[in-house]
Amino acid sequence: MAVPIAVLDCDLLLYGRGHRTLDRFKLEDVTDEYLVSTYGFPRQFIYYLVDLLGASLSRPTQRSRAISPETQILAALGFYTSGSFQTRMGDAIGISQASMSRCVANVTEALVERASQFIHFPEDEATVQSLKDEFYGLAGMPGVLGVVDCTHVAIKAPNAEDLSYVNRKGLHSLNCLMVCDARGVLLSAETHWPGSLPDCTVLQQAALTSQFETELHKDGWLLGDSSFFLRTWLMTPLHIPETPAEYRYNMAHSATHNVIERTFRTIRSRFRCLDGSKGTLQYSPEKSSHIILACCVLHNISLEHGLDVWSSPATGHMEQPEEEYEQMESMDSEACRIRQELLLTHFS
C-alpha cells in the first residue's frame, strides 16, 4: 500500500498545497544507463532541457506548479520515448497517471513554443553553402537545400471532421510534411495535415511552398519523390529515364532523398509514441500534432548534442499508407528547363 499512498500524497500536493515543489526523484541518485533506458536520454541532456524549459514549466498560473520542471520533463520524456502512461512510469518519479498526462501537456506546449528556434532553414550564405556541400558529398547532386517527404502518424478518431483524417488504409492519421538536411536535422515540420490529403496536396497548401515561392532560395532546390509535382525549387525523379544521364540523375536523386526516410526511422525509433507499436495517439488532431512537433524539436536538439541514433534498428511501425499516386509530372516549362539543364550540366 505504500506506493499508492505516495502517489495520492503527490496529487494532494498538486491540488491543495501547491506551493511546494515535488522532488521525490533526484537525477543525481541514478545512473546515466538508467536514465537512458527509462527516459531515452542521458543526464546532461535532461539538465539542458530543464534550463531551456524551466521558466515555462514554473509559471505560477499552471496547476502543475507543485511538480518541479525536472519531474515534468522526465514524465514527458518517458511518454515520448515509450508511448505509455503506465503506472510504472509515474511510480518511478512519484506522480499519478493523471499528473503524468498534465506534465506531458505542459512540456509539449513549452517545446512547441520553441519550435522555430530549433527547426528552420539556415539564412547566412556560408551555412547555406555548407548545406549544399554536405548534400553533394552524398551522391553528387548539386544545389540541394533539403529533402522533403510526408509521413503518417496514427491518431484516434476525432469527434469532428472524422473522414478528413481517414487515410488510404482506412486508418485515422495526420500526414506530416518534413524537410531535413544531409545529417537528418529537420529544417521544416508541418505536422497538422489530415491523413486523407495526398502528399502533393499537403505540399501545395503548405507554408513551405509559400516560403520557397515568395521568399528565398532562388539558387537551389529541395528534392522530392514522385508523389510531388516538379517545380523550379523542387526537383523530382524522371518517370521513365532513357539516357545514361537520366539514369545517373535518378540514382543520385534516390540516394540523396533516402536521407529523409532514415530520418523518419530515427524519429520513430527514438519516440515510440509515434511509431504505432503502442497504438494510436489518444488525443485530438491538434494535440497530437503538437506532440509530433515536440518530438521533432527534441530530435533536432538531440542531434545538436551529438545523440545520433541513425545506427539504431527501427522498432515498431509507423502507420504509413502506400501511396497510390500517378506520376506527378509538372507542366511548368521553367521547372522542366531547370531539371534538363541540371541533367546536361552535371550528369551527362
Side-chain angles (χ1 to χ4, degrees):
M1 294 299 293
V3 170
I5 292 173
V7 171
L8 177 60
D9 287 344
C10 289
D11 280 348
L12 285 173
L13 281 172
L14 180 64
Y15 294 120
R17 297 185 291 277
H19 298 292
R20 297 172 56 190
T21 297
L22 299 181
D23 289 315
R24 294 184 70 246
F25 183 92
K26 297 288 187 181
L27 279 176
E28 57 268 25
D29 292 341
V30 296
T31 65
D32 254 13
E33 290 75 12
Y34 172 81
L35 291 172
V36 171
S37 66
T38 307
Y39 304 102
F41 293 95
R43 187 186 328 274
Q44 290 306 314
F45 184 87
I46 296 170
Y47 281 143
Y48 172 82
L49 292 181
V50 172
D51 290 339
L52 177 70
L53 307 178
S56 297
L57 299 177
S58 300
R59 293 170 182 162
T61 56
Q62 289 183 339
R63 294 179 67 190
S64 60
R65 62 183 176 177
I67 301 180
S68 68
E70 181 180 289
T71 300
Q72 292 184 62
I73 288 167
L74 288 171
L77 292 179
F79 169 70
Y80 297 147
T81 58
S82 73
S84 174
F85 278 131
Q86 294 301 315
T87 303
R88 176 187 61 81
M89 186 69 69
D91 286 350
I93 51 178
I95 61 175
S96 68
Q97 185 170 323
S99 296
M100 279 276 296
S101 181
R102 286 186 291 273
C103 290
V104 171
N106 291 341
V107 174
T108 296
E109 179 184 352
L111 287 168
V112 168
E113 288 175 353
R114 291 159 177 78
S116 61
Q117 176 183 345
F118 294 99
I119 303 175
H120 57 81
F121 283 92
E123 295 182 359
D124 64 281
E125 291 185 10
T127 308
V128 170
Q129 187 58 51
S130 177
L131 185 66
K132 294 179 183 178
D133 292 343
E134 289 181 359
F135 273 119
Y136 187 79
L138 294 179
M141 181 70 76
V144 179
L145 298 166
V147 289
V148 59
D149 208 348
C150 290
T151 190
H152 286 252
V153 176
I155 63 172
K156 72 172 184 178
N159 295 328
E161 300 182 60
D162 184 67
L163 293 179
S164 69
Y165 291 92
V166 178
N167 62 38
R168 291 182 181 274
K169 287 188 174 180
L171 303 171
H172 293 86
S173 69
L174 290 168
N175 195 3
C176 305
L177 178 73
M178 300 187 192
V179 180
C180 74
D181 70 9
R183 298 182 298 119
V185 175
L186 294 173
L187 306 175
S188 178
E190 299 184 35
T191 59
H192 62 282
W193 297 102
S196 66
L197 294 181
D199 293 359
C200 62
T201 303
V202 169
L203 181 61
Q204 183 179 359
Q205 299 178 10
L208 179 69
T209 293
S210 175
Q211 182 181 11
F212 268 79
E213 291 187 344
T214 63
E215 296 180 14
L216 72 169
H217 306 316
K218 302 300 183 184
D219 58 345
W221 40 73
L222 303 179
L223 296 188
D225 63 21
S226 296
S227 62
F228 300 116
F229 286 108
L230 177 70
R231 300 170 185 256
T232 57
W233 49 269
L234 178 64
M235 294 292 103
T236 60
L238 289 134
H239 181 38
I240 304 177
E242 296 178 347
T243 68
E246 290 175 345
Y247 276 103
R248 284 192 289 269
Y249 167 85
N250 271 14
M251 290 178 64
H253 188 292
S254 176
T256 307
H257 188 266
N258 185 55
V259 173
I260 191 84
E261 298 300 331
R262 294 175 66 192
T263 300
F264 289 156
R265 289 196 297 271
T266 295
I267 291 171
R268 66 174 176 259
S269 175
R270 173 166 274 155
F271 302 108
R272 298 289 299 278
C273 68
L274 307 181
D275 76 355
S277 64
K278 299 291 185 179
T280 62
L281 284 175
Q282 296 297 303
Y283 297 91
S284 68
E286 180 181 9
K287 289 183 178 179
S288 295
S289 170
H290 285 179
I291 288 173
I292 300 166
L293 185 56
C295 290
C296 290
V297 173
L298 286 172
H299 167 77
N300 275 11
I301 297 175
S302 67
L303 291 181
E304 188 178 286
H305 283 73
L307 302 177
D308 190 342
V309 295
W310 272 13
S311 59
S312 299
T315 55
H317 64 284
M318 183 177 287
E319 296 297 349
Q320 180 68 52
E322 296 179 7
E323 292 290 346
E324 300 175 4
Y325 51 77
E326 297 180 1
Q327 181 71 18
M328 296 295 184
E329 281 297 345
S330 175
M331 299 303 292
D332 185 335
S333 59
E334 178 63 11
C336 292
R337 184 195 65 77
I338 290 174
R339 186 170 66 180
Q340 188 61 30
E341 182 178 320
L342 180 60
L343 281 163
L344 294 173
T345 304
H346 293 279
F347 295 98
S348 295

